[in-house]
PDB file of all heavy atoms in Angstrom:
ATOM      1  N   VAL A  32       2.615   0.035   4.070  1.00  0.00           N
ATOM      2  CA  VAL A  32       2.528   0.945   5.200  1.00  0.00           C
ATOM      3  C   VAL A  32       1.419   1.966   4.987  1.00  0.00           C
ATOM      4  O   VAL A  32       0.654   2.284   5.901  1.00  0.00           O
ATOM      5  CB  VAL A  32       3.890   1.641   5.454  1.00  0.00           C
ATOM      6  CG1 VAL A  32       3.751   2.795   6.421  1.00  0.00           C
ATOM      7  CG2 VAL A  32       4.887   0.628   5.975  1.00  0.00           C
ATOM      8  N   LEU A  33       1.296   2.464   3.770  1.00  0.00           N
ATOM      9  CA  LEU A  33       0.249   3.450   3.503  1.00  0.00           C
ATOM     10  C   LEU A  33      -1.147   2.836   3.493  1.00  0.00           C
ATOM     11  O   LEU A  33      -2.131   3.543   3.712  1.00  0.00           O
ATOM     12  CB  LEU A  33       0.522   4.152   2.170  1.00  0.00           C
ATOM     13  CG  LEU A  33       1.724   5.084   2.163  1.00  0.00           C
ATOM     14  CD1 LEU A  33       1.960   5.632   0.763  1.00  0.00           C
ATOM     15  CD2 LEU A  33       1.540   6.206   3.156  1.00  0.00           C
ATOM     16  N   SER A  34      -1.251   1.531   3.247  1.00  0.00           N
ATOM     17  CA  SER A  34      -2.569   0.884   3.212  1.00  0.00           C
ATOM     18  C   SER A  34      -3.050   0.431   4.581  1.00  0.00           C
ATOM     19  O   SER A  34      -4.202   0.057   4.718  1.00  0.00           O
ATOM     20  CB  SER A  34      -2.527  -0.318   2.259  1.00  0.00           C
ATOM     21  OG  SER A  34      -1.731  -1.345   2.799  1.00  0.00           O
ATOM     22  N   GLN A  35      -2.185   0.484   5.584  1.00  0.00           N
ATOM     23  CA  GLN A  35      -2.595   0.080   6.925  1.00  0.00           C
ATOM     24  C   GLN A  35      -3.495   1.125   7.535  1.00  0.00           C
ATOM     25  O   GLN A  35      -3.300   2.322   7.362  1.00  0.00           O
ATOM     26  CB  GLN A  35      -1.382  -0.158   7.823  1.00  0.00           C
ATOM     27  CG  GLN A  35      -0.606  -1.372   7.454  1.00  0.00           C
ATOM     28  CD  GLN A  35       0.590  -1.589   8.347  1.00  0.00           C
ATOM     29  OE1 GLN A  35       0.782  -0.898   9.336  1.00  0.00           O
ATOM     30  NE2 GLN A  35       1.410  -2.554   7.996  1.00  0.00           N
ATOM     31  N   GLU A  36      -4.481   0.631   8.274  1.00  0.00           N
ATOM     32  CA  GLU A  36      -5.398   1.539   8.942  1.00  0.00           C
ATOM     33  C   GLU A  36      -4.769   2.061  10.220  1.00  0.00           C
ATOM     34  O   GLU A  36      -4.081   1.329  10.927  1.00  0.00           O
ATOM     35  CB  GLU A  36      -6.704   0.824   9.284  1.00  0.00           C
ATOM     36  CG  GLU A  36      -7.471   0.406   8.061  1.00  0.00           C
ATOM     37  CD  GLU A  36      -8.771  -0.275   8.409  1.00  0.00           C
ATOM     38  OE1 GLU A  36      -9.171  -0.229   9.584  1.00  0.00           O
ATOM     39  OE2 GLU A  36      -9.375  -0.851   7.511  1.00  0.00           O
ATOM     40  N   GLY A  37      -5.029   3.314  10.519  1.00  0.00           N
ATOM     41  CA  GLY A  37      -4.516   3.895  11.745  1.00  0.00           C
ATOM     42  C   GLY A  37      -5.326   3.448  12.956  1.00  0.00           C
ATOM     43  O   GLY A  37      -6.472   3.039  12.853  1.00  0.00           O
ATOM     44  N   LYS A  38      -4.720   3.529  14.095  1.00  0.00           N
ATOM     45  CA  LYS A  38      -5.414   3.179  15.333  1.00  0.00           C
ATOM     46  C   LYS A  38      -6.163   4.405  15.849  1.00  0.00           C
ATOM     47  O   LYS A  38      -5.675   5.523  15.774  1.00  0.00           O
ATOM     48  CB  LYS A  38      -4.400   2.717  16.385  1.00  0.00           C
ATOM     49  CG  LYS A  38      -3.559   1.561  15.930  1.00  0.00           C
ATOM     50  CD  LYS A  38      -3.786   0.415  16.861  1.00  0.00           C
ATOM     51  CE  LYS A  38      -2.812  -0.678  16.507  1.00  0.00           C
ATOM     52  NZ  LYS A  38      -3.437  -1.874  16.098  1.00  0.00           N
ATOM     53  N   ASP A  39      -7.341   4.191  16.402  1.00  0.00           N
ATOM     54  CA  ASP A  39      -8.104   5.276  17.008  1.00  0.00           C
ATOM     55  C   ASP A  39      -7.619   5.467  18.429  1.00  0.00           C
ATOM     56  O   ASP A  39      -8.100   4.846  19.354  1.00  0.00           O
ATOM     57  CB  ASP A  39      -9.594   4.963  17.002  1.00  0.00           C
ATOM     58  CG  ASP A  39     -10.173   4.949  15.616  1.00  0.00           C
ATOM     59  OD1 ASP A  39      -9.669   5.696  14.771  1.00  0.00           O
ATOM     60  OD2 ASP A  39     -11.127   4.207  15.396  1.00  0.00           O
ATOM     61  N   GLN A  40      -6.644   6.346  18.609  1.00  0.00           N
ATOM     62  CA  GLN A  40      -6.084   6.570  19.927  1.00  0.00           C
ATOM     63  C   GLN A  40      -6.336   7.990  20.401  1.00  0.00           C
ATOM     64  O   GLN A  40      -5.543   8.562  21.126  1.00  0.00           O
ATOM     65  CB  GLN A  40      -4.583   6.273  19.931  1.00  0.00           C
ATOM     66  CG  GLN A  40      -4.268   4.821  19.679  1.00  0.00           C
ATOM     67  CD  GLN A  40      -2.777   4.559  19.704  1.00  0.00           C
ATOM     68  OE1 GLN A  40      -1.981   5.475  19.801  1.00  0.00           O
ATOM     69  NE2 GLN A  40      -2.408   3.302  19.638  1.00  0.00           N
ATOM     70  N   GLY A  41      -7.424   8.547  19.962  1.00  0.00           N
ATOM     71  CA  GLY A  41      -7.728   9.908  20.363  1.00  0.00           C
ATOM     72  C   GLY A  41      -8.581   9.958  21.609  1.00  0.00           C
ATOM     73  O   GLY A  41      -8.864   8.957  22.253  1.00  0.00           O
ATOM     74  N   PHE A  42      -9.016  11.167  21.946  1.00  0.00           N
ATOM     75  CA  PHE A  42      -9.838  11.387  23.131  1.00  0.00           C
ATOM     76  C   PHE A  42     -11.194  10.695  22.986  1.00  0.00           C
ATOM     77  O   PHE A  42     -11.722  10.141  23.939  1.00  0.00           O
ATOM     78  CB  PHE A  42     -10.009  12.886  23.345  1.00  0.00           C
ATOM     79  CG  PHE A  42     -10.776  13.225  24.593  1.00  0.00           C
ATOM     80  CD1 PHE A  42     -10.221  12.986  25.833  1.00  0.00           C
ATOM     81  CD2 PHE A  42     -12.042  13.776  24.514  1.00  0.00           C
ATOM     82  CE1 PHE A  42     -10.912  13.300  26.980  1.00  0.00           C
ATOM     83  CE2 PHE A  42     -12.735  14.093  25.658  1.00  0.00           C
ATOM     84  CZ  PHE A  42     -12.164  13.864  26.899  1.00  0.00           C
ATOM     85  N   GLY A  43     -11.731  10.687  21.770  1.00  0.00           N
ATOM     86  CA  GLY A  43     -13.036  10.075  21.532  1.00  0.00           C
ATOM     87  C   GLY A  43     -13.033   8.578  21.755  1.00  0.00           C
ATOM     88  O   GLY A  43     -13.990   8.009  22.276  1.00  0.00           O
ATOM     89  N   SER A  44     -11.977   7.918  21.371  1.00  0.00           N
ATOM     90  CA  SER A  44     -11.919   6.467  21.561  1.00  0.00           C
ATOM     91  C   SER A  44     -11.721   6.106  23.021  1.00  0.00           C
ATOM     92  O   SER A  44     -12.111   5.029  23.460  1.00  0.00           O
ATOM     93  CB  SER A  44     -10.814   5.847  20.713  1.00  0.00           C
ATOM     94  OG  SER A  44      -9.555   6.278  21.148  1.00  0.00           O
ATOM     95  N   ALA A  45     -11.110   6.988  23.794  1.00  0.00           N
ATOM     96  CA  ALA A  45     -10.943   6.721  25.225  1.00  0.00           C
ATOM     97  C   ALA A  45     -12.282   6.773  25.938  1.00  0.00           C
ATOM     98  O   ALA A  45     -12.502   6.034  26.911  1.00  0.00           O
ATOM     99  CB  ALA A  45      -9.981   7.745  25.832  1.00  0.00           C
ATOM    100  N   LEU A  46     -13.171   7.609  25.470  1.00  0.00           N
ATOM    101  CA  LEU A  46     -14.488   7.717  26.107  1.00  0.00           C
ATOM    102  C   LEU A  46     -15.458   6.649  25.647  1.00  0.00           C
ATOM    103  O   LEU A  46     -16.403   6.317  26.351  1.00  0.00           O
ATOM    104  CB  LEU A  46     -15.083   9.099  25.819  1.00  0.00           C
ATOM    105  CG  LEU A  46     -14.355  10.281  26.443  1.00  0.00           C
ATOM    106  CD1 LEU A  46     -15.017  11.581  26.012  1.00  0.00           C
ATOM    107  CD2 LEU A  46     -14.340  10.162  27.950  1.00  0.00           C
ATOM    108  N   SER A  47     -15.256   6.137  24.436  1.00  0.00           N
ATOM    109  CA  SER A  47     -16.222   5.197  23.884  1.00  0.00           C
ATOM    110  C   SER A  47     -16.108   3.808  24.518  1.00  0.00           C
ATOM    111  O   SER A  47     -17.071   3.053  24.510  1.00  0.00           O
ATOM    112  CB  SER A  47     -16.058   5.095  22.370  1.00  0.00           C
ATOM    113  OG  SER A  47     -14.798   4.527  22.065  1.00  0.00           O
ATOM    114  N   GLY A  48     -14.951   3.457  25.014  1.00  0.00           N
ATOM    115  CA  GLY A  48     -14.783   2.134  25.623  1.00  0.00           C
ATOM    116  C   GLY A  48     -14.575   1.069  24.557  1.00  0.00           C
ATOM    117  O   GLY A  48     -14.629   1.321  23.355  1.00  0.00           O
ATOM    118  N   THR A  49     -14.335  -0.145  25.000  1.00  0.00           N
ATOM    119  CA  THR A  49     -14.135  -1.238  24.049  1.00  0.00           C
ATOM    120  C   THR A  49     -15.191  -2.302  24.286  1.00  0.00           C
ATOM    121  O   THR A  49     -15.644  -2.529  25.399  1.00  0.00           O
ATOM    122  CB  THR A  49     -12.750  -1.869  24.226  1.00  0.00           C
ATOM    123  OG1 THR A  49     -12.621  -2.336  25.565  1.00  0.00           O
ATOM    124  CG2 THR A  49     -11.645  -0.896  23.902  1.00  0.00           C
ATOM    125  N   VAL A  50     -15.555  -2.961  23.222  1.00  0.00           N
ATOM    126  CA  VAL A  50     -16.544  -4.024  23.285  1.00  0.00           C
ATOM    127  C   VAL A  50     -15.882  -5.285  22.751  1.00  0.00           C
ATOM    128  O   VAL A  50     -15.273  -5.270  21.690  1.00  0.00           O
ATOM    129  CB  VAL A  50     -17.781  -3.682  22.424  1.00  0.00           C
ATOM    130  CG1 VAL A  50     -18.777  -4.813  22.440  1.00  0.00           C
ATOM    131  CG2 VAL A  50     -18.408  -2.386  22.907  1.00  0.00           C
ATOM    132  N   ASP A  51     -15.966  -6.379  23.505  1.00  0.00           N
ATOM    133  CA  ASP A  51     -15.416  -7.643  23.041  1.00  0.00           C
ATOM    134  C   ASP A  51     -16.386  -8.289  22.069  1.00  0.00           C
ATOM    135  O   ASP A  51     -17.464  -8.747  22.440  1.00  0.00           O
ATOM    136  CB  ASP A  51     -15.163  -8.597  24.211  1.00  0.00           C
ATOM    137  CG  ASP A  51     -13.866  -8.305  24.931  1.00  0.00           C
ATOM    138  OD1 ASP A  51     -13.000  -7.669  24.316  1.00  0.00           O
ATOM    139  OD2 ASP A  51     -13.728  -8.735  26.079  1.00  0.00           O
ATOM    140  N   THR A  52     -15.988  -8.282  20.809  1.00  0.00           N
ATOM    141  CA  THR A  52     -16.804  -8.926  19.793  1.00  0.00           C
ATOM    142  C   THR A  52     -16.011 -10.093  19.209  1.00  0.00           C
ATOM    143  O   THR A  52     -14.839 -10.279  19.500  1.00  0.00           O
ATOM    144  CB  THR A  52     -17.142  -7.934  18.664  1.00  0.00           C
ATOM    145  OG1 THR A  52     -15.918  -7.502  18.049  1.00  0.00           O
ATOM    146  CG2 THR A  52     -17.900  -6.717  19.199  1.00  0.00           C
ATOM    147  N   TYR A  53     -16.680 -10.851  18.392  1.00  0.00           N
ATOM    148  CA  TYR A  53     -16.005 -11.969  17.718  1.00  0.00           C
ATOM    149  C   TYR A  53     -14.842 -11.446  16.891  1.00  0.00           C
ATOM    150  O   TYR A  53     -13.773 -12.024  16.859  1.00  0.00           O
ATOM    151  CB  TYR A  53     -17.001 -12.716  16.842  1.00  0.00           C
ATOM    152  CG  TYR A  53     -16.372 -13.819  16.022  1.00  0.00           C
ATOM    153  CD1 TYR A  53     -16.037 -15.038  16.625  1.00  0.00           C
ATOM    154  CD2 TYR A  53     -16.077 -13.645  14.687  1.00  0.00           C
ATOM    155  CE1 TYR A  53     -15.450 -16.043  15.901  1.00  0.00           C
ATOM    156  CE2 TYR A  53     -15.477 -14.652  13.952  1.00  0.00           C
ATOM    157  CZ  TYR A  53     -15.174 -15.845  14.560  1.00  0.00           C
ATOM    158  OH  TYR A  53     -14.579 -16.841  13.836  1.00  0.00           O
ATOM    159  N   TRP A  54     -15.060 -10.323  16.211  1.00  0.00           N
ATOM    160  CA  TRP A  54     -14.017  -9.758  15.347  1.00  0.00           C
ATOM    161  C   TRP A  54     -12.816  -9.289  16.152  1.00  0.00           C
ATOM    162  O   TRP A  54     -11.665  -9.506  15.776  1.00  0.00           O
ATOM    163  CB  TRP A  54     -14.580  -8.610  14.535  1.00  0.00           C
ATOM    164  CG  TRP A  54     -13.608  -8.071  13.545  1.00  0.00           C
ATOM    165  CD1 TRP A  54     -12.945  -6.893  13.595  1.00  0.00           C
ATOM    166  CD2 TRP A  54     -13.163  -8.709  12.349  1.00  0.00           C
ATOM    167  NE1 TRP A  54     -12.120  -6.751  12.518  1.00  0.00           N
ATOM    168  CE2 TRP A  54     -12.239  -7.850  11.741  1.00  0.00           C
ATOM    169  CE3 TRP A  54     -13.451  -9.916  11.752  1.00  0.00           C
ATOM    170  CZ2 TRP A  54     -11.609  -8.171  10.545  1.00  0.00           C
ATOM    171  CZ3 TRP A  54     -12.824 -10.227  10.559  1.00  0.00           C
ATOM    172  CH2 TRP A  54     -11.915  -9.362   9.969  1.00  0.00           C
ATOM    173  N   SER A  55     -13.050  -8.685  17.302  1.00  0.00           N
ATOM    174  CA  SER A  55     -11.931  -8.176  18.100  1.00  0.00           C
ATOM    175  C   SER A  55     -11.148  -9.324  18.756  1.00  0.00           C
ATOM    176  O   SER A  55      -9.961  -9.186  19.015  1.00  0.00           O
ATOM    177  CB  SER A  55     -12.414  -7.213  19.169  1.00  0.00           C
ATOM    178  OG  SER A  55     -13.213  -7.881  20.126  1.00  0.00           O
ATOM    179  N   LYS A  56     -11.796 -10.442  19.014  1.00  0.00           N
ATOM    180  CA  LYS A  56     -11.109 -11.583  19.597  1.00  0.00           C
ATOM    181  C   LYS A  56     -10.275 -12.355  18.588  1.00  0.00           C
ATOM    182  O   LYS A  56      -9.354 -13.068  18.942  1.00  0.00           O
ATOM    183  CB  LYS A  56     -12.111 -12.535  20.251  1.00  0.00           C
ATOM    184  CG  LYS A  56     -12.766 -11.963  21.474  1.00  0.00           C
ATOM    185  CD  LYS A  56     -13.757 -12.938  22.065  1.00  0.00           C
ATOM    186  CE  LYS A  56     -14.434 -12.344  23.282  1.00  0.00           C
ATOM    187  NZ  LYS A  56     -15.426 -13.250  23.849  1.00  0.00           N
ATOM    188  N   ASN A  57     -10.616 -12.244  17.304  1.00  0.00           N
ATOM    189  CA  ASN A  57      -9.926 -12.995  16.247  1.00  0.00           C
ATOM    190  C   ASN A  57      -9.156 -12.078  15.305  1.00  0.00           C
ATOM    191  O   ASN A  57      -9.114 -12.309  14.102  1.00  0.00           O
ATOM    192  CB  ASN A  57     -10.939 -13.834  15.458  1.00  0.00           C
ATOM    193  CG  ASN A  57     -11.525 -14.917  16.312  1.00  0.00           C
ATOM    194  OD1 ASN A  57     -10.793 -15.672  16.913  1.00  0.00           O
ATOM    195  ND2 ASN A  57     -12.847 -14.992  16.353  1.00  0.00           N
ATOM    196  N   LYS A  58      -8.535 -11.062  15.840  1.00  0.00           N
ATOM    197  CA  LYS A  58      -7.802 -10.106  15.004  1.00  0.00           C
ATOM    198  C   LYS A  58      -6.547 -10.705  14.380  1.00  0.00           C
ATOM    199  O   LYS A  58      -6.068 -10.210  13.400  1.00  0.00           O
ATOM    200  CB  LYS A  58      -7.432  -8.869  15.812  1.00  0.00           C
ATOM    201  CG  LYS A  58      -8.574  -7.933  16.004  1.00  0.00           C
ATOM    202  CD  LYS A  58      -8.100  -6.627  16.585  1.00  0.00           C
ATOM    203  CE  LYS A  58      -9.247  -5.659  16.604  1.00  0.00           C
ATOM    204  NZ  LYS A  58      -8.832  -4.341  17.027  1.00  0.00           N
ATOM    205  N   LYS A  59      -6.006 -11.780  14.964  1.00  0.00           N
ATOM    206  CA  LYS A  59      -4.776 -12.343  14.402  1.00  0.00           C
ATOM    207  C   LYS A  59      -5.017 -13.006  13.053  1.00  0.00           C
ATOM    208  O   LYS A  59      -4.082 -13.256  12.316  1.00  0.00           O
ATOM    209  CB  LYS A  59      -4.144 -13.328  15.371  1.00  0.00           C
ATOM    210  CG  LYS A  59      -4.944 -14.591  15.599  1.00  0.00           C
ATOM    211  CD  LYS A  59      -4.208 -15.494  16.546  1.00  0.00           C
ATOM    212  CE  LYS A  59      -5.016 -16.776  16.765  1.00  0.00           C
ATOM    213  NZ  LYS A  59      -4.318 -17.696  17.624  1.00  0.00           N
ATOM    214  N   HIS A  60      -6.271 -13.255  12.699  1.00  0.00           N
ATOM    215  CA  HIS A  60      -6.599 -13.850  11.399  1.00  0.00           C
ATOM    216  C   HIS A  60      -7.159 -12.827  10.420  1.00  0.00           C
ATOM    217  O   HIS A  60      -7.563 -13.196   9.329  1.00  0.00           O
ATOM    218  CB  HIS A  60      -7.629 -14.980  11.586  1.00  0.00           C
ATOM    219  CG  HIS A  60      -7.131 -16.077  12.463  1.00  0.00           C
ATOM    220  ND1 HIS A  60      -6.091 -16.899  12.089  1.00  0.00           N
ATOM    221  CD2 HIS A  60      -7.520 -16.494  13.675  1.00  0.00           C
ATOM    222  CE1 HIS A  60      -5.870 -17.770  13.046  1.00  0.00           C
ATOM    223  NE2 HIS A  60      -6.721 -17.547  14.037  1.00  0.00           N
ATOM    224  N   SER A  61      -7.155 -11.580  10.787  1.00  0.00           N
ATOM    225  CA  SER A  61      -7.751 -10.552   9.941  1.00  0.00           C
ATOM    226  C   SER A  61      -6.773 -10.102   8.864  1.00  0.00           C
ATOM    227  O   SER A  61      -5.585 -10.413   8.884  1.00  0.00           O
ATOM    228  CB  SER A  61      -8.182  -9.359  10.791  1.00  0.00           C
ATOM    229  OG  SER A  61      -7.046  -8.681  11.278  1.00  0.00           O
ATOM    230  N   LYS A  62      -7.306  -9.331   7.951  1.00  0.00           N
ATOM    231  CA  LYS A  62      -6.498  -8.767   6.859  1.00  0.00           C
ATOM    232  C   LYS A  62      -5.411  -7.850   7.405  1.00  0.00           C
ATOM    233  O   LYS A  62      -4.271  -7.865   6.929  1.00  0.00           O
ATOM    234  CB  LYS A  62      -7.414  -8.014   5.902  1.00  0.00           C
ATOM    235  CG  LYS A  62      -6.721  -7.321   4.769  1.00  0.00           C
ATOM    236  CD  LYS A  62      -7.725  -6.583   3.933  1.00  0.00           C
ATOM    237  CE  LYS A  62      -7.102  -5.396   3.284  1.00  0.00           C
ATOM    238  NZ  LYS A  62      -8.038  -4.538   2.598  1.00  0.00           N
ATOM    239  N   ASP A  63      -5.747  -7.072   8.432  1.00  0.00           N
ATOM    240  CA  ASP A  63      -4.765  -6.153   9.027  1.00  0.00           C
ATOM    241  C   ASP A  63      -3.611  -6.910   9.668  1.00  0.00           C
ATOM    242  O   ASP A  63      -2.465  -6.479   9.590  1.00  0.00           O
ATOM    243  CB  ASP A  63      -5.428  -5.261  10.071  1.00  0.00           C
ATOM    244  CG  ASP A  63      -6.368  -4.251   9.462  1.00  0.00           C
ATOM    245  OD1 ASP A  63      -6.165  -3.908   8.275  1.00  0.00           O
ATOM    246  OD2 ASP A  63      -7.297  -3.798  10.152  1.00  0.00           O
ATOM    247  N   ALA A  64      -3.897  -8.038  10.298  1.00  0.00           N
ATOM    248  CA  ALA A  64      -2.837  -8.838  10.913  1.00  0.00           C
ATOM    249  C   ALA A  64      -1.896  -9.404   9.870  1.00  0.00           C
ATOM    250  O   ALA A  64      -0.679  -9.426  10.064  1.00  0.00           O
ATOM    251  CB  ALA A  64      -3.441  -9.949  11.748  1.00  0.00           C
ATOM    252  N   VAL A  65      -2.443  -9.848   8.754  1.00  0.00           N
ATOM    253  CA  VAL A  65      -1.608 -10.383   7.667  1.00  0.00           C
ATOM    254  C   VAL A  65      -0.746  -9.274   7.091  1.00  0.00           C
ATOM    255  O   VAL A  65       0.447  -9.470   6.832  1.00  0.00           O
ATOM    256  CB  VAL A  65      -2.493 -11.026   6.577  1.00  0.00           C
ATOM    257  CG1 VAL A  65      -1.684 -11.419   5.367  1.00  0.00           C
ATOM    258  CG2 VAL A  65      -3.230 -12.235   7.138  1.00  0.00           C
ATOM    259  N   ILE A  66      -1.320  -8.095   6.900  1.00  0.00           N
ATOM    260  CA  ILE A  66      -0.565  -6.965   6.358  1.00  0.00           C
ATOM    261  C   ILE A  66       0.576  -6.594   7.311  1.00  0.00           C
ATOM    262  O   ILE A  66       1.693  -6.296   6.880  1.00  0.00           O
ATOM    263  CB  ILE A  66      -1.481  -5.769   6.083  1.00  0.00           C
ATOM    264  CG1 ILE A  66      -2.382  -6.072   4.885  1.00  0.00           C
ATOM    265  CG2 ILE A  66      -0.683  -4.497   5.824  1.00  0.00           C
ATOM    266  CD1 ILE A  66      -3.415  -4.999   4.599  1.00  0.00           C
ATOM    267  N   LYS A  67       0.320  -6.617   8.610  1.00  0.00           N
ATOM    268  CA  LYS A  67       1.373  -6.301   9.593  1.00  0.00           C
ATOM    269  C   LYS A  67       2.501  -7.319   9.551  1.00  0.00           C
ATOM    270  O   LYS A  67       3.683  -6.962   9.636  1.00  0.00           O
ATOM    271  CB  LYS A  67       0.785  -6.224  11.006  1.00  0.00           C
ATOM    272  CG  LYS A  67      -0.024  -4.992  11.256  1.00  0.00           C
ATOM    273  CD  LYS A  67      -0.558  -4.960  12.651  1.00  0.00           C
ATOM    274  CE  LYS A  67      -1.434  -3.746  12.865  1.00  0.00           C
ATOM    275  NZ  LYS A  67      -1.964  -3.679  14.231  1.00  0.00           N
TER     276      LYS A  67
END
């Protein structure tokens, strides 16, 4: 639990928008997904 990265859910992330990248589309195979 302590090693998991926090989500950027602040005001700054709301303004920055999201970009669909290869990494964001394949998050289920990432290290964070395995840890979850």
Side-chain angles (χ1 to χ4, degrees):
V32 168
L33 290 175
S34 69
Q35 289 180 7
E36 294 181 12
K38 303 240 187 242
D39 292 329
Q40 295 181 353
F42 183 69
S44 66
L46 294 177
S47 66
T49 58
V50 178
D51 279 339
T52 62
Y53 176 77
W54 185 253
S55 66
K56 291 179 181 178
N57 293 308
K58 283 190 173 186
K59 67 179 180 178
H60 299 294
S61 70
K62 177 182 151 187
D63 290 335
V65 172
I66 289 175
K67 286 181 183 180

